[in-house]
């Protein structure tokens, strides 16, 4: 792989297409993903930037029995949490992914995202059974054959989460070049006490997030859901 700064990207349109076609897929086909392909994606992601080249990422790839076993454990815990909300004290995220207090415009975008998805799926406000079932689709990896779990050494600072974001994005964009799709999932974080022992993570590691990887089911309506994006003008200020 050339790392010459003078190297040109010949097919810029394909790079743009990979970025623009990345989406959070919520229904996958059961088709297996070759190990060589997964290794290739991770090898590309290893080129992601990190502060002073710390490369803080650690990846656990779950397929077959290891994948199915984790799905079974976490789905059972998710059901138990619904039956006994006091278990929320046990199943707690190690770091705050979302704010403690929501304000506009972020709460507005969150609500639009949630109700647009539920509307597409025919889930009405107050239908707790269907909401629970849909939320649990996260813990079934949306039927993807590959689950990725990402951890970080607790000794690292918050800046390493910035590094991690670039690493995750590289995996997701690279996956598009191989006809694959992904869904990054913070939903797993609350069940780290189950996940970390299952994957064999060390006591010094914390769960950053999970990710589903596989081939998208083109016939499932949920994959017709595309989230809107703000315009460049709305989030950019030009200074001259």
């Amino acid at each position: 792989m050339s790392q010459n700064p003078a190297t040109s990207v010949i097919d810029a349109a394909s790079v743009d297409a990979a970025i623009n076609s990345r989406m959070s897929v919520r229904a996958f086909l059961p088709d297996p993903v070759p190990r060589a392909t997964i290794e290739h994606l991770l090898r590309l992601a290893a080129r992601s930037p990190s502060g002073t080249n710390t490369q803080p990422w650690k990846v656990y790839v779950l397929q077959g029995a290891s994948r199915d076993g984790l799905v079974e454990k976490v789905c059972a815990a998710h059901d138990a949490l619904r039956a006994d909300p006091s278990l929320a004290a046990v199943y707690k995220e190690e770091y705050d992914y979302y704010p403690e207090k929501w304000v506009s415009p972020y709460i507005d975008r969150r609500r639009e995202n949630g109700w647009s998805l539920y509307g597409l799926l025919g889930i009405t406000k107050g239908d707790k059974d269907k909401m629970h079932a849909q939320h649990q689709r996260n813990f079934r990896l949306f039927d993807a054959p590959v689950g990725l779990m990402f951890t970080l050494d607790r000794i690292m600072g918050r800046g390493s989460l910035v590094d991690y974001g670039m690493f995750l994005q590289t995996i997701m964009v690279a996956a598009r070049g191989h006809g694959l799709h992904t869904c990054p999932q913070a939903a797993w974080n609350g069940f780290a006490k189950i996940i970390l022992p299952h994957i064999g993570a060390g006591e010094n590691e914390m769960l950053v997030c999970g990710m589903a990887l596989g081939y998208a089911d083109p016939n499932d309506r949920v994959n017709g859901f595309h989230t809107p994006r703000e315009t460049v003008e709305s989030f950019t200020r030009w200074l001259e």
Side-chain angles (χ1 to χ4, degrees), residues 12-218:
S14 291
V15 178
D16 291 354
I19 295 170
N20 280 320
S21 64
R22 187 219 62 81
M23 58 178 284
S24 293
V25 162
R26 293 178 173 86
F28 290 86
L29 297 171
D31 305 9
V33 181
R35 175 169 177 161
T37 301
I38 301 171
E39 289 179 342
H40 179 70
L41 299 180
L42 295 175
R43 196 171 298 114
L44 290 172
R47 292 302 312 164
S48 302
S50 59
T52 62
N53 199 35
T54 52
Q55 305 176 65
W57 34 78
K58 190 166 185 178
V59 187
Y60 296 85
V61 182
L62 293 97
Q63 298 173 282
S66 64
R67 174 215 176 274
D68 297 345
L70 183 62
V71 166
E72 182 178 347
K73 290 177 184 177
V74 176
C75 284
H78 184 237
D79 287 338
L81 179 58
R82 184 190 183 192
D84 182 4
S86 70
L87 289 174
V90 177
Y91 300 123
K92 195 172 183 181
E93 297 178 341
E94 191 160 346
Y95 71 96
D96 294 330
Y97 187 92
Y98 294 112
E100 290 185 10
K101 181 180 180 181
W102 286 93
V103 297
S104 291
Y106 315 111
I107 185 61
D108 307 312
R109 295 169 186 164
R110 178 181 172 88
R111 286 170 175 163
E112 178 187 25
N113 182 73
W115 290 117
S116 294
L117 175 61
Y118 281 3
L120 176 67
L121 297 175
I123 302 174
T124 57
K125 190 172 183 178
D127 193 336
K128 295 183 179 180
D129 290 341
K130 287 185 178 180
M131 288 181 183
H132 179 77
Q134 179 57 34
H135 188 61
Q136 193 167 103
R137 293 282 295 149
N138 279 281
F139 309 126
R140 299 186 183 282
L141 290 162
F142 301 108
D143 299 326
V146 181
L148 304 173
M149 293 293 156
F150 303 95
T151 69
L152 175 69
D153 194 316
R154 290 189 180 90
I155 201 171
M156 301 303 286
R158 286 185 293 178
S160 290
L161 291 174
V162 177
D163 300 337
Y164 232 118
M166 293 183 278
F167 178 76
L168 296 171
Q169 175 74 350
T170 303
I171 293 173
M172 292 186 283
V173 171
R176 294 300 304 118
H178 294 265
L180 294 160
H181 270 288
T182 55
C183 185
Q185 300 170 278
W188 292 95
N189 293 5
F191 297 100
K193 287 187 176 181
I194 296 173
I195 297 164
L196 295 176
H198 182 88
I199 62 178
E203 292 183 0
N204 60 311
E205 294 174 57
M206 78 170 189
L207 184 65
V208 174
C209 68
M211 183 184 292
L213 171 71
Y215 298 95
D217 184 345

